[in-house]
Amino acid sequence: MALSGIEKLKHSLLQKTGSFLQKTFIEQKLNNISGYILIALFAVALGYLFAAQTILGIGITGLICGIAIVLACMLDTLTGLFINIIYCFFAFAFSRFFFNDTFPTGVGADALVVATLFSFFVKRIHLKETVNQFVHTPVVIVILVLFSYLLIELFNPYAHSFNGWYQTIRKSLGAWFLLFIAYRAFDSYESVRKFLTVLFIMCTITGLYGCIQQWHGLFDYERAWAMADSNRFGLIFIGGDFRKFSTMSDPTAYGIMMASCGCFFLIIAWNEKKLPVKLIILSGVALMFLGMAYSGTRTANAMAVAGLVMFMLLTINKRSTQIFAAFAILGFIVLMYGPFYGNATINRFRTTFSGANDDSYKVRETNRAFIQPYIYAHPIGGGLCTTGAGGLRFNPSHYLAGFPPDSGYLKKALETGWIGLIIICILYFVVLKNCIRGYFDSAQPDAKVLYATSCAFLFSFYIADFAQDAIGQITDTVVYYPIIALTLKLNSFKRNEKRAVISERTENPKSEYA
């Protein structure tokens, strides 16, 4: 009898404890006296740790924040995509400020992508229909062909490093997982609007910080980082001034992102009907283009021009585009031939279009002419991660190790051969074809604008690949692949709208659609 009484008491205590915890943490979400006390105690303990054991306090805070971020990614796919964007825009600045540029930013990006993938399983999302639609799009079919080809590169007899091959495959998988995540997350125009809002805010903040670096000068920790490595200093300090890199890994990545996103949002602003919204977007675009100019990245200047030209060619039949083209051409002429001779930023912009007269262009052309026989003689290339710094690290004895490709296309031709280059060019063609065809097939004004802006954005990257290895860093893949996913998903938005109209007509023949 006594034992039975003890069991009943234990059961009662457990039941009351469970009820209390559920009410405190789940139902009221700590918005009660117990929650206030718990948070206050936690704050006091954390404050003591920061005062007595600073490193331990920072570590515990980072661990708690990291767990919260991973859980947020796992609980909602769209939120996970936004967190990936925010992380990739600020990860390098975080690493420079707190860890003296030793934080593994790539590992963090991979972890967030994987955590976001788990959201499909946590929310028990049925992916069969989504996957079926995804893998049957021409763009994804070519991507799967390319990925299969990269897997085969493991057996390339000229490559000697498994780690070099693995690094490329890991980056490719992460990028293509991001493509699928965005494809699944974009389920309506509302989700696309949220994505564009987050992207605009991130780009505006990043552009503004680059302007602050220009107007105020680099902060002490940034200057120390830039001068810590002689090669890095040589790339950043040009013409008696530091090129600006804002929150990103280097000036080139910063300039490329500001140019592509500046074009993207400029086109959106031009097509925006509400004047207050238009002015807000144009203000952000101005900061992006200023940041692009201060980065000193001439490739970014070419990207901006190429993206806007693509937009004008695609929509030249519209009167608004003709007006836009007139203003754009006038602005370009002023920048190129106006009486401004003492401004280093404008002078560097002008050298972008000096062509064969540019010394760096001559050096690159000499390198390309020198290495072309190797490309002809190696149809499958020299192997992944065999050129440039990656080659010195993973394949130091390779013929291509240390060779500066200075171009995404040349790098792909050297590492994957002319066969791989053909597959990649086909992929780029199919991506642009999807945008152009979608633009002309769509009757929805919003869809047309998104197709046109995406086409200009993507085309600018493909132009940039001539002068830089423009596609591959986490700062650009986190935007580049979601934009491709957006162009793929717009088709399904149109199909769903048609189905909704047909359904409404069937159910209510006298509706406004009839």
Side-chain angles (χ1 to χ4, degrees), residues 208-218 222 244-246:
L208 175 61
Y209 189 73
C211 293
I212 292 172
Q213 287 181 329
Q214 175 71 17
W215 302 331
H216 171 273
L218 297 181
E222 293 171 330
K244 306 309 178 290
F245 45 84
S246 188

Side-chain angles (χ1 to χ4, degrees), residues 43-274:
V44 170
L46 203 57
Y48 172 78
L49 281 175
F50 269 104
Q53 299 286 337
T54 305
I55 296 177
L56 180 60
I58 293 174
I60 292 175
T61 304
L63 178 63
I64 294 170
C65 292
I67 292 172
I69 289 170
V70 169
L71 287 174
C73 291
M74 295 176 65
L75 292 175
D76 184 73
T77 307
L78 190 61
T79 302
L81 178 61
F82 296 161
I83 290 173
N84 275 273
I85 294 172
I86 295 169
Y87 171 83
C88 291
F89 267 70
F90 295 106
F92 290 101
F94 175 81
S95 178
R96 284 192 292 266
F97 187 81
F98 289 104
F99 297 95
N100 195 25
D101 202 32
T102 59
F103 183 78
T105 53
V107 175
D110 292 342
L112 290 176
V113 170
V114 172
T116 308
L117 275 177
F118 269 101
S119 67
F120 299 141
F121 305 102
V122 172
K123 298 182 71 175
R124 297 181 180 178
I125 296 173
H126 297 290
L127 297 175
K128 184 176 181 180
E129 183 178 354
T130 303
V131 171
N132 187 54
Q133 292 175 354
F134 182 72
V135 300
H136 283 88
T137 58
V139 172
V140 176
I141 290 172
V142 181
I143 286 176
L144 292 174
V145 171
L146 177 60
F147 183 67
S148 301
Y149 182 77
L150 295 180
L151 290 177
I152 295 172
E153 281 288 331
L154 174 63
F155 306 101
N156 189 319
Y158 302 105
H160 313 297
S161 171
F162 172 81
N163 288 334
W165 172 86
Y166 169 74
Q167 291 297 324
T168 303
I169 293 296
R170 181 177 67 85
K171 288 175 65 176
S172 300
L173 268 178
W176 295 334
F177 282 153
L178 195 63
L179 174 66
F180 180 72
I181 288 168
Y183 184 85
R184 180 63 184 81
F186 296 152
D187 55 4
S188 64
Y189 279 112
E190 179 63 20
S191 60
V192 172
R193 186 190 63 79
K194 291 178 181 178
F195 164 75
L196 296 180
T197 301
V198 171
L199 179 59
F200 175 75
I201 293 171
M202 293 299 102
C203 290
T204 301
I205 293 172
T206 307
L208 175 61
Y209 189 73
C211 293
I212 292 172
Q213 287 181 329
Q214 175 71 17
W215 302 331
H216 171 273
L218 297 181
F219 293 96
D220 290 341
Y221 77 94
E222 293 171 330
R223 187 182 295 270
W225 170 80
M227 299 176 68
D229 182 86
S230 58
N231 291 330
R232 183 191 301 147
F233 180 76
L235 293 172
I236 294 178
F237 191 79
I238 295 177
D241 194 14
F242 286 97
R243 298 168 62 192
K244 306 309 178 290
F245 45 84
S246 188
T247 62
M248 298 194 175
S249 60
D250 56 76
T252 301
Y254 176 52
I256 286 174
M257 186 50 55
M258 291 298 98
S260 56
C261 291
C263 284
F264 188 91
F265 288 109
L266 177 60
I267 297 168
I268 288 180
W270 188 260
N271 289 275
E272 176 59 49
K273 304 299 182 185
K274 298 177 181 177

Side-chain angles (χ1 to χ4, degrees), residues 156-472:
N156 189 319
Y158 302 105
H160 313 297
S161 171
F162 172 81
N163 288 334
W165 172 86
Y166 169 74
Q167 291 297 324
T168 303
I169 293 296
R170 181 177 67 85
K171 288 175 65 176
S172 300
L173 268 178
W176 295 334
F177 282 153
L178 195 63
L179 174 66
F180 180 72
I181 288 168
Y183 184 85
R184 180 63 184 81
F186 296 152
D187 55 4
S188 64
Y189 279 112
E190 179 63 20
S191 60
V192 172
R193 186 190 63 79
K194 291 178 181 178
F195 164 75
L196 296 180
T197 301
V198 171
L199 179 59
F200 175 75
I201 293 171
M202 293 299 102
C203 290
T204 301
I205 293 172
T206 307
L208 175 61
Y209 189 73
C211 293
I212 292 172
Q213 287 181 329
Q214 175 71 17
W215 302 331
H216 171 273
L218 297 181
F219 293 96
D220 290 341
Y221 77 94
E222 293 171 330
R223 187 182 295 270
W225 170 80
M227 299 176 68
D229 182 86
S230 58
N231 291 330
R232 183 191 301 147
F233 180 76
L235 293 172
I236 294 178
F237 191 79
I238 295 177
D241 194 14
F242 286 97
R243 298 168 62 192
K244 306 309 178 290
F245 45 84
S246 188
T247 62
M248 298 194 175
S249 60
D250 56 76
T252 301
Y254 176 52
I256 286 174
M257 186 50 55
M258 291 298 98
S260 56
C261 291
C263 284
F264 188 91
F265 288 109
L266 177 60
I267 297 168
I268 288 180
W270 188 260
N271 289 275
E272 176 59 49
K273 304 299 182 185
K274 298 177 181 177
L275 182 60
V277 178
K278 183 190 287 282
L279 292 176
I280 291 172
I281 299 175
L282 286 175
S283 300
V285 169
L287 292 173
M288 293 176 210
F289 280 137
L290 281 173
M292 175 199 76
Y294 295 148
S295 74
T297 306
R298 288 181 292 186
T299 300
N301 300 330
M303 286 179 71
V305 173
L308 295 178
V309 168
M310 169 57 80
F311 166 71
M312 290 185 284
L313 291 175
L314 187 62
T315 62
I316 196 63
N317 61 316
K318 296 175 62 178
R319 180 171 176 76
S320 61
T321 300
Q322 295 167 4
I323 297 172
F324 177 86
F327 278 108
I329 293 170
L330 179 62
F332 181 77
I333 292 173
V334 169
L335 284 173
M336 288 296 294
Y337 305 106
F340 320 113
Y341 304 107
N343 189 296
T345 302
I346 294 178
N347 290 338
R348 191 163 179 83
F349 177 86
R350 289 171 175 171
T351 61
T352 305
F353 306 96
S354 61
N357 296 322
D358 182 61
D359 291 336
S360 65
Y361 175 81
K362 294 176 181 178
V363 172
R364 294 181 183 188
E365 284 300 302
T366 302
N367 288 339
R368 290 170 186 171
F370 167 77
I371 208 66
Q372 278 179 0
Y374 185 91
I375 298 173
Y376 297 142
H378 297 77
I380 62 171
L384 303 182
C385 247
T386 53
T387 60
L392 291 174
R393 179 184 175 187
F394 296 107
N395 294 276
S397 60
H398 199 283
Y399 177 76
L400 298 175
F403 178 83
D406 292 326
S407 165
Y409 294 105
L410 182 58
K411 181 179 180 180
K412 294 171 179 71
L414 290 172
E415 295 191 354
T416 64
W418 50 263
I419 295 176
L421 180 61
I422 289 173
I423 297 173
I424 289 164
C425 289
I426 291 172
L427 174 61
Y428 292 173
F429 167 78
V430 172
V431 168
L432 291 177
K433 176 177 176 288
N434 177 67
C435 293
I436 295 170
R437 184 171 181 176
Y439 174 81
F440 287 106
D441 285 350
S442 177
Q444 294 287 333
D446 291 342
K448 280 181 134 359
V449 171
L450 288 173
Y451 274 124
T453 53
S454 299
C455 189
F457 175 91
L458 296 166
F459 182 72
S460 69
F461 266 100
Y462 302 152
I463 292 297
D465 235 16
F466 278 105
Q468 301 282 345
D469 187 15
I471 305 170

